[in-house]
Amino acid sequence: MTADLAYVVAGASLLLAIVLPDLLSRWAISAPMVLVGVGMLIGLTPLPDGLPLDPQDNRAVIEHTTELVVIVALMGVGLAIDRPLQVRSWRSWRQWSPTWRLLVIGMPLTIAAVATLGWAAGLPPAVALLLGAALAPTDPVLASDVQVAGPQTGGHEVDESDELRFTLTSEAGLNDGLAFPFVYAAILLATEGAVSNWALEWVGFYLVAKVAIGVLAGVVVGKVLAYVAFRSSNRALRVAERGESLLALAALVASYGVGEVLGGYGFLAVFVCAISFRSAERSHDYHAAMHEVAERLERLLTLFVLLILGIALTRGLLDALDWRGVAIGLALILVVRPAAGIVALAPWPTRGRGTVPLTRPERWTVAFFGVRGIGSIYYLAYAAGEDQALAQDWLWSTVAFTVVASVLIHGILATPVMARIDSGRR
């Protein structure tokens, strides 16, 4: 493939990214499925030598590229959620009950189950734990078909009316950051040895302090930017009046940077920043404009990553895949995540106080649609840079297979299942 032909392929692929979402809206085919398929076809062409596809040789590039895609998606997801989270209101916290259940119950169960399967398949404990942690979070990038459409604006009270899509969206926004403590646990297990050597440090710093710092950084940055954009005494700083939507990019970069510099989890900081910013002037049209910028940038970055992933699939990324990786990947998608979700969302025997605002079909749908994606690749790339024992080719092949399997299975089922749920409501 010559450089000139590469421009043709890039242009055609970009056109696909633009037209596919609307073109495929009525079909059981998702845009990510098509983009991965196009990448695989490109991978069968005579590509130029030296194309950076080997994850072992290009780990840092993969890490930072996927990192950028995830933080852009997190900003878009945070701005899209209409339901407020008022810290001092117990009723507000209860409205997020399904999300907390999936995070506190569902995600640890998923990590434990996948890690146990990996250990039973002969993986070292640290590698098995990393596999569980990397594959546990649901993805805000590839799950647009089952998420909220975007922020509602206008002169009315803003809240979420679709509990199913709200639950999947808010879960994806938060669990990308909350999976990080378990990734660090795998790193510490590989580098420090026995759990007794680092257990207190992990609980105190990686599980509690870094989460709190990330949340606090997101709240502060979000509120400061919201004050400047909407209420600053200087007209030049009130960018909401001018509709300068590029503030979305400044917000995601600033919140991520502040969160990381202070020692917290940047992913959490970005999502919380978006939620905090969204809480100001909730019905203002400026939120929709900012969300559109984040969404378009996410689409472009996702196009690039999915094409490269498709190319890599036909260029050796799956060479180390064996029956263990296939079994674990399919078990996660078809058994582990659905079971963990059902357990997390099950009604509690407390005279109705433990119920969630989801019907039984909606609970089953939330449990099943735990889409795996770009975040899993990022976590694997990050951990591989911390210790060579976590940089196995088998891990790359297994994670890549699981992501592609999730894209196919969830992509095929998303449209008919969501249509059935919507028609059942009507």
Side-chain angles (χ1 to χ4, degrees):
M1 180 186 293
T2 65
D4 294 335
L5 184 57
Y7 281 105
V8 175
V9 172
S13 301
L14 183 57
L15 179 61
L16 281 176
I18 295 171
V19 303
L20 281 178
D22 288 335
L23 189 65
L24 302 175
S25 60
R26 297 183 180 181
W27 300 89
I29 303 175
S30 66
M33 291 169 58
V34 176
L35 291 172
V36 171
V38 170
M40 294 177 69
L41 292 177
I42 295 174
L44 297 175
T45 64
L47 294 170
D49 294 333
L51 196 67
L53 295 175
D54 188 347
Q56 299 290 13
D57 297 333
N58 302 280
R59 185 207 58 80
V61 175
I62 294 171
E63 176 187 343
H64 294 304
T65 301
T66 52
E67 179 182 40
L68 179 60
V69 177
V70 172
I71 64 174
V72 171
L74 290 174
M75 176 58 66
V77 165
L79 291 171
I81 292 178
D82 291 322
R83 176 164 297 170
L85 179 58
Q86 300 169 347
V87 177
R88 299 179 181 179
S89 171
W90 175 245
R91 180 175 178 274
S92 178
W93 283 89
R94 287 190 63 184
Q95 288 181 321
W96 286 62
S97 172
T99 305
W100 308 137
R101 290 186 179 208
L102 289 170
L103 295 174
V104 176
I105 301 174
M107 189 170 71
L109 284 177
T110 301
I111 294 172
V114 174
T116 301
L117 290 175
W119 179 75
L123 299 180
V127 176
L129 180 56
L130 174 61
L131 183 64
L135 291 176
T138 56
D139 195 72
V141 181
L142 303 181
S144 58
D145 291 338
V146 294
Q147 292 181 350
V148 297
Q152 302 178 57
T153 58
H156 59 273
E157 184 68 22
V158 175
D159 196 358
E160 294 291 351
S161 58
D162 191 328
E163 295 290 343
L164 168 58
R165 288 181 171 85
F166 164 74
T167 301
L168 288 169
T169 304
S170 55
E171 180 201 11
L174 284 166
N175 67 10
D176 259 313
L178 294 177
F180 233 132
F182 301 95
V183 173
Y184 275 116
I187 295 172
L188 291 171
L189 188 59
T191 57
E192 302 294 333
V195 175
S196 59
N197 296 335
W198 48 265
L200 291 179
E201 177 190 7
W202 181 78
V203 172
F205 182 61
Y206 293 101
L207 185 61
V208 177
K210 288 177 75 68
V211 169
I213 293 170
V215 170
L216 181 61
V219 169
V220 172
V221 173
K223 289 189 176 297
V224 168
L225 290 179
Y227 177 82
V228 171
F230 292 106
R231 304 185 183 93
S232 175
S233 58
N234 188 329
R235 186 179 182 280
L237 296 179
R238 293 198 302 271
V239 294
E241 294 181 1
R242 304 196 306 272
E244 181 49 80
S245 53
L246 287 179
L247 181 64
L249 304 185
L252 71 90
V253 173
S255 57
Y256 186 77
V258 171
E260 290 290 322
V261 167
L262 294 178
Y265 293 127
F267 285 172
L268 273 179
V270 173
F271 181 74
V272 174
C273 171
I275 291 290
S276 299
F277 191 95
R278 183 75 176 90
S279 67
E281 307 291 339
R282 298 193 61 81
S283 60
H284 201 289
D285 291 340
Y286 187 56
H287 295 295
M290 288 183 62
H291 175 263
E292 184 176 0
V293 169
E295 186 179 39
R296 288 174 183 262
L297 180 58
E298 176 194 339
R299 188 182 300 179
L300 291 175
L301 292 172
T302 304
L303 159 73
F304 173 75
V305 172
L306 290 179
L307 285 176
I308 295 299
L309 176 61
I311 293 172
L313 290 176
T314 50
R315 288 278 167 161
L317 183 58
L318 298 180
D319 285 353
L321 184 67
D322 57 17
W323 68 268
R324 299 177 302 166
V326 173
I328 292 174
L330 293 179
L332 168 65
I333 296 170
L334 301 176
V335 180
V336 173
R337 159 64 191 205
I342 291 170
V343 170
L345 297 175
W348 295 345
T350 53
R351 297 183 181 179
R353 294 181 181 180
T355 58
V356 295
L358 294 166
T359 65
R360 185 175 182 180
E362 288 175 337
R363 291 200 302 269
W364 281 77
T365 303
V366 169
F368 179 76
F369 280 103
V371 182
R372 267 55 194 174
I374 308 301
S376 298
I377 299 174
Y378 166 75
Y379 280 127
L380 180 56
Y382 180 88
E386 297 295 317
D387 189 85
Q388 190 60 34
L390 305 176
Q392 299 182 13
D393 287 337
W394 183 88
L395 279 174
W396 286 103
S397 295
T398 300
V399 169
F401 167 79
T402 305
V403 170
V404 174
S406 178
V407 167
L408 291 175
I409 295 172
H410 293 126
I412 290 172
L413 295 176
T415 298
V417 170
M418 298 304 286
R420 185 176 181 85
I421 290 290
D422 292 339
S423 64
R425 292 173 183 157
R426 291 193 293 268

